[in-house]
Amino acid sequence: MEPLKDTLQTLQDEALRRIESAADAIALESLRVEYLGRKEGRLTQILRSLAQLSADEKKAIGQQSNQVKGLLEEALTRKQESIEKEKIDLSLKTSLDLTLPATPWMRGKCHPLTQVMDDIVSVFTRLGFNIAEGPEVETDFNNFTALNHPPDHPARDSHDTFYVKDFKDGANVPLLMRTHTSPVQVRYMTTHKPPVYIVSPGRVFRHEAVDATHSYVFHQVEGLAIDTDISLADLKGVLSLFAKSLFGGDGGIRFRPSYFPFVEPGIEVDISCTLCQGKGCSVCKNTGWIEMLGAGLVNPKVLRTVGYDPEQVSGYAFGIGAERVAMFKYGINDIRLFYENDLRFLKQF
Ligand code: PHE
């Protein structure tokens, strides 16, 4: 028979190995019962058989058994702890921890110019204006002739207008990149009867060198109202509302005489400087006023060209530069920032 000492050693090695590789808490518990169980436990049985041994043997084997028991208990505890830890780690990994910071999402949004154009347009749509859009490539007739630009008007000069090479309209006149969104008004008036209340947002093009305040492509929102009994007072009212909505403040505006071929009288509209409340600052060059847009009462010649009767109806028109509005609103001093798509700039809006 194998000496008891060796049996104990074999039992110890085997038990430690099995404990170490136990898969879960249940397997571990059944190992504890198998080796250390109070009735049937294998070590318990060995201890029970000590009674038959001599006093010396009893002492030696007794000591060894206690040692084995200690080792096994220790190994069981250690393994149990590591199984529990694994369980917690796994649940942390697979469960939702509401205390963790959320995964950041890159949120897309509209370009500042789009936002400003939407803001401008909504001032007028709230008053009942419709949105009318048109093509960026236009006929000379819609862009100039119908808007009362005589054939020799300087704006037709190639220094101001991009002509589209090799493309001509029905009258064999070159097509061009629209220099304002006013041609949309011509298109609309020739296809609709008065009353007309429209705003035309869009991109426009001019043959211009780029610098801090100029660009060869920029954006306008132009408005047109045609109805019976329209006067400058109506224009002043809606533009004052526009100024108040976009810039806050009291909506103070002033008219200065100016000239645009398609309006008579033509006026330039200044808004009260909301940075200094009209007191005078560097942005308004100490005048208390900011030049903001062109406007006027629609020239009767234009009305006649589109088939309206100037004896029956009259109207006003205005043209707002979106970049100009955005630059004043946000204190931006270089127009090029709008077109460079630098995220450090765009993220601020
Ligand atoms: N169409 C003009 C421009 O682009 C602006 C304007 C519109 C002026 C309506 C007066 C009336 O310069």
Side-chain angles (χ1 to χ4, degrees):
M1 208 178 92
E2 188 186 29
L4 210 42
K5 183 170 159 280
D6 295 345
T7 311
L8 272 172
Q9 185 63 49
T10 315
L11 180 133
Q12 174 188 313
D13 295 345
E14 178 201 284
L16 287 179
R17 191 165 13 88
R18 289 177 69 196
I19 288 169
E20 195 40 54
S21 56
D24 52 30
I26 295 171
L28 200 63
E29 175 59 13
S30 69
L31 284 175
R32 196 188 63 76
V33 173
E34 181 180 335
Y35 289 100
L36 303 176
R38 234 189 287 166
K39 278 189 194 148
E40 307 283 325
R42 287 162 64 183
L43 188 65
T44 319
Q45 282 176 3
I46 293 174
L47 282 169
R48 228 176 262 149
S49 67
L50 292 186
Q52 297 144 24
L53 303 177
S54 69
D56 278 356
E57 266 183 322
K58 219 187 259 177
K59 195 175 166 214
I61 298 296
Q63 258 176 8
Q64 190 188 356
S65 303
N66 280 332
Q67 229 172 33
V68 174
K69 192 175 174 212
L71 277 175
L72 295 196
E73 276 168 351
E74 214 178 274
L76 283 165
T77 312
R78 216 184 315 120
K79 184 65 184 177
Q80 191 178 346
E81 281 168 6
S82 94
I83 286 174
E84 257 159 40
K85 186 173 174 296
E86 256 171 56
K87 208 166 115 188
I88 291 170
D89 285 351
L90 186 72
S91 82
L92 280 181
K93 242 184 263 166
T94 52
S95 69
L96 182 65
D97 182 351
L98 294 175
T99 65
L100 290 174
T103 318
W105 279 86
M106 286 284 274
R107 212 158 123 249
K109 52 186 169 178
C110 289
H111 190 280
L113 279 178
T114 309
Q115 292 181 35
V116 162
M117 298 228 301
D118 287 350
D119 288 349
I120 299 171
V121 165
S122 80
V123 171
F124 298 102
T125 52
R126 270 182 277 148
L127 291 174
F129 283 68
N130 291 313
I131 298 172
E133 289 178 296
E136 292 174 349
V137 176
E138 261 296 1
T139 61
D140 179 271
F141 179 83
N142 286 338
N143 195 83
F144 290 129
T145 309
L147 292 166
N148 194 35
H149 288 71
D152 57 353
H153 193 278
R156 288 170 181 261
D157 194 295
S158 64
H159 288 285
D160 284 325
T161 307
F162 289 116
Y163 287 91
V164 184
K165 205 168 158 239
D166 298 338
F167 285 91
K168 306 200 167 163
D169 67 12
N172 210 27
V173 179
L175 294 178
L176 50 82
M177 303 307 291
R178 66 179 179 192
T179 58
H180 46 185
T181 58
S182 308
V184 179
Q185 304 174 2
V186 176
R187 287 172 177 271
Y188 195 91
M189 287 190 287
T190 48
T191 51
H192 296 75
K193 286 201 166 72
V196 169
Y197 288 89
I198 55 164
V199 276
S200 313
R203 204 152 58 139
V204 302
F205 308 83
R206 291 194 195 168
H207 196 290
E208 201 127 39
V210 177
D211 64 24
T213 51
H214 295 89
S215 165
Y216 51 83
V217 45
F218 55 100
H219 300 77
Q220 288 186 329
V221 180
E222 295 211 345
L224 173 73
I226 309 279
D227 209 334
T228 48
D229 297 325
I230 286 212
S231 73
L232 278 181
D234 299 305
L235 175 63
K236 200 159 185 181
V238 295
L239 291 182
S240 170
L241 181 71
F242 152 77
K244 207 187 286 184
S245 306
L246 264 288
F247 309 111
D250 61 4
I253 60 173
R254 73 174 182 185
F255 285 179
R256 274 182 296 109
S258 185
Y259 175 76
F260 302 95
F262 40 92
V263 284
E264 180 56 40
I267 52 183
E268 223 150 289
V269 183
D270 298 344
I271 62 157
S272 162
C273 180
T274 44
L275 297 178
C276 61
Q277 271 74 43
K279 286 191 206 86
C281 64
S282 63
V283 173
C284 63
K285 301 190 192 89
N286 282 318
T287 62
W289 296 97
I290 302 281
E291 280 182 39
M292 195 44 79
L293 57 124
L297 292 182
V298 180
N299 192 316
K301 282 191 194 164
V302 174
L303 296 177
R304 249 178 253 119
T305 304
V306 298
Y308 289 179
D309 180 357
E311 301 296 328
Q312 302 286 322
V313 291
S314 56
Y316 60 74
F318 55 85
I320 303 170
E323 279 81 351
R324 193 168 180 77
V325 170
M327 286 170 85
F328 178 62
K329 190 171 161 81
Y330 298 118
I332 297 162
N333 54 16
D334 195 325
I335 199 170
R336 290 168 288 201
L337 288 165
F338 291 121
Y339 316 118
E340 285 165 353
N341 282 332
D342 185 332
L343 281 179
R344 291 168 303 178
F345 173 74
L346 296 177
K347 273 182 176 167
Q348 299 176 52
F349 302 94

